[in-house]
Amino acid sequence: MPANTPENRSNRKLLIGGLLVVLISINGILIYMNYQKKEKTEEQAEVIRVKNSELENQIKVYEALKADFERQSQELQAMGLENDSLESKISAITADLSELRGFRTKSYSLTDQRRFRDKAKAFEQQLKQKDEQIAKLKEDNEVLATENTTLQNTKTQLADSLTTFKTSNKELSEKVKVASRLEAQNLSVNIINKRGKEKDDNDNEFKAKRVEKIRVAFKLAKNDVAAKEPKTVYMRLIEPDGAALYNLSTGSGSFQMDGENMYYTAKRDFVYDNTQQQLSFVYAKNAEYKKGQHTVELYADGFLIGKTSFILK
């Protein structure tokens, strides 16, 4: 063992001192490196935080843009308009939103940020222009709606006037129709026997067995309202049982009276000339006539113009 001399003790102190210096230096370096690493980690965390904040803000911007474009599309549809360009914008924004949300799990570079910011500005400009167009369309629609209301009111007034006119015209037509009704005057019934002789009777009573034909004669009264035109007179010869004589082979048929079908025994066509024309029917039943009261009715232009009765005994 070397002697523990003053020189050895001095050297040992120097060695220990050197080691302390080295240890302090290493510790200082480690502290500095840890500080640098912490700063870098904090910087990276801040970059990630800023990137995430920027990304989420951009996602919100695009969600708002999509909602606004969809609102515009709904407003146009409410006005009965379609706009394919809006639908294409909505589709483009939907695709961009999908891409932006994808950056949550991957790098969102400054280039990407600038690209989406620029596109958002362009979309916002287009959105503003379309809002101005829609506002103008709404204003024009309000003007048109006001004009349409005015037109509808005018149309309603015209319709009311037309209805009033039609009603008045119909009433006048009905009055003219009634006033133009023909009237059979001096209505008489005679019989023609088997020998062709015609017999009249003031009491309108005849023997049934002698009747071969029946002759109905009348005169048309003057009527200055009735149109001078071709007309038809229908005769109904109604037997005691209430049925009108009807035989197609002798010219019987049917006509409309107050919307109902009515059978006639015979008809006569003529041209009315307002000269108190004399008209007559000669009808052969070709069978034995029934005993009892018979009724003769004459119709023209939808009116009963004459009526009488006679008795066959």
Side-chain angles (χ1 to χ4, degrees):
M1 296 288 295
N4 188 15
T5 62
E7 184 179 356
N8 288 337
R9 287 196 298 271
S10 177
N11 289 337
R12 195 179 299 116
K13 289 179 180 179
L14 288 173
L15 180 61
I16 292 170
L19 288 171
L20 288 173
V21 170
V22 170
L23 288 173
I24 291 171
S25 297
I26 290 171
N27 190 50
I29 290 170
L30 290 173
I31 291 172
Y32 176 75
M33 289 177 67
N34 284 333
Y35 177 76
Q36 289 290 94
K37 184 177 180 181
K38 181 181 179 183
E39 270 198 340
K40 187 174 181 179
T41 300
E42 289 177 352
E43 287 177 0
Q44 289 176 342
E46 180 64 19
V47 168
I48 291 171
R49 187 189 66 77
V50 171
K51 185 209 81 167
N52 289 340
S53 177
E54 172 68 20
L55 177 60
E56 294 305 320
N57 286 336
Q58 200 64 270
I59 288 173
K60 289 179 180 179
V61 168
Y62 273 76
E63 287 174 341
L65 284 170
K66 182 182 178 183
D68 280 331
F69 278 118
E70 287 174 342
R71 168 186 55 78
Q72 288 181 344
S73 179
Q74 292 170 357
E75 289 178 349
L76 288 173
Q77 288 177 8
M79 289 187 283
L81 302 173
E82 297 291 338
N83 195 306
D84 294 337
S85 64
L86 270 181
E87 297 304 320
S88 64
K89 286 184 180 67
I90 293 171
S91 297
I93 292 173
T94 301
D96 288 341
L97 262 174
S98 178
E99 187 176 355
L100 280 168
R101 288 165 179 155
F103 285 122
R104 286 169 171 165
T105 57
K106 61 182 180 181
S107 174
Y108 181 48
S109 66
L110 291 174
T111 302
D112 293 325
Q113 294 177 34
R114 282 193 296 269
R115 175 166 63 91
F116 281 98
R117 276 198 298 265
D118 292 343
K119 289 181 72 175
K121 287 180 181 178
F123 280 132
E124 287 170 352
Q125 185 63 29
Q126 294 167 9
L127 185 70
K128 182 180 178 182
Q129 292 174 352
K130 184 59 68 175
D131 273 333
E132 291 173 354
Q133 292 175 7
I134 291 174
K136 183 67 171 56
L137 284 171
K138 286 182 177 179
E139 183 179 343
D140 292 343
N141 279 352
E142 288 179 1
V143 173
L144 288 173
T146 302
E147 292 177 352
N148 187 53
T149 300
T150 303
L151 287 173
Q152 287 294 334
N153 290 337
T154 303
K155 182 180 177 182
T156 300
Q157 292 172 359
L158 288 173
D160 291 342
S161 299
L162 182 60
T163 300
T164 302
F165 172 76
K166 285 181 176 179
T167 301
S168 300
N169 190 50
K170 184 178 179 182
E171 291 174 352
L172 179 60
S173 296
E174 288 295 328
K175 290 178 181 179
V176 170
K177 184 178 179 182
V178 171
S180 64
R181 182 180 66 174
L182 300 181
E183 181 184 356
Q185 296 179 333
N186 303 330
L187 181 56
S188 65
V189 177
N190 295 336
I191 67 163
I192 300 173
N193 61 27
K194 295 179 181 180
R195 291 180 292 174
K197 286 190 66 176
E198 185 171 340
K199 183 180 179 182
D200 60 2
D201 189 323
N202 292 333
D203 294 328
N204 277 349
E205 291 187 0
F206 308 95
K207 291 184 178 181
K209 65 180 180 178
R210 295 180 181 177
V211 179
E212 178 70 16
K213 298 177 183 178
I214 292 175
R215 183 176 183 271
V216 178
F218 57 96
K219 179 180 72 173
L220 292 175
K222 286 185 65 67
N223 189 324
D224 295 329
V225 179
K228 295 179 180 180
E229 62 184 5
K231 294 181 180 291
T232 301
V233 175
Y234 300 96
M235 181 192 73
R236 282 169 46 90
L237 180 53
I238 303 171
E239 294 188 296
D241 60 6
L245 285 172
Y246 178 84
N247 189 339
L248 290 175
S249 64
T250 59
S252 299
S254 63
F255 65 99
Q256 288 291 312
M257 183 67 181
D258 296 330
E260 295 184 2
N261 209 37
M262 185 175 287
Y263 292 102
Y264 64 84
T265 306
K267 72 175 182 175
R268 171 76 183 273
D269 296 324
F270 69 102
V271 177
Y272 180 75
D273 58 13
N274 197 26
T275 61
Q276 294 184 305
Q277 293 151 280
Q278 295 283 344
L279 299 176
S280 65
F281 288 92
V282 176
Y283 179 75
K285 182 179 180 182
N286 297 328
E288 186 176 341
Y289 286 88
K290 297 178 181 179
K291 294 180 180 181
Q293 180 171 295
H294 291 66
T295 301
V296 174
E297 294 178 346
L298 299 176
Y299 292 86
D301 298 328
F303 291 102
L304 174 66
I305 66 171
K307 182 177 180 180
T308 189
S309 62
F310 62 95
I311 297 173
L312 294 181
K313 298 185 290 182

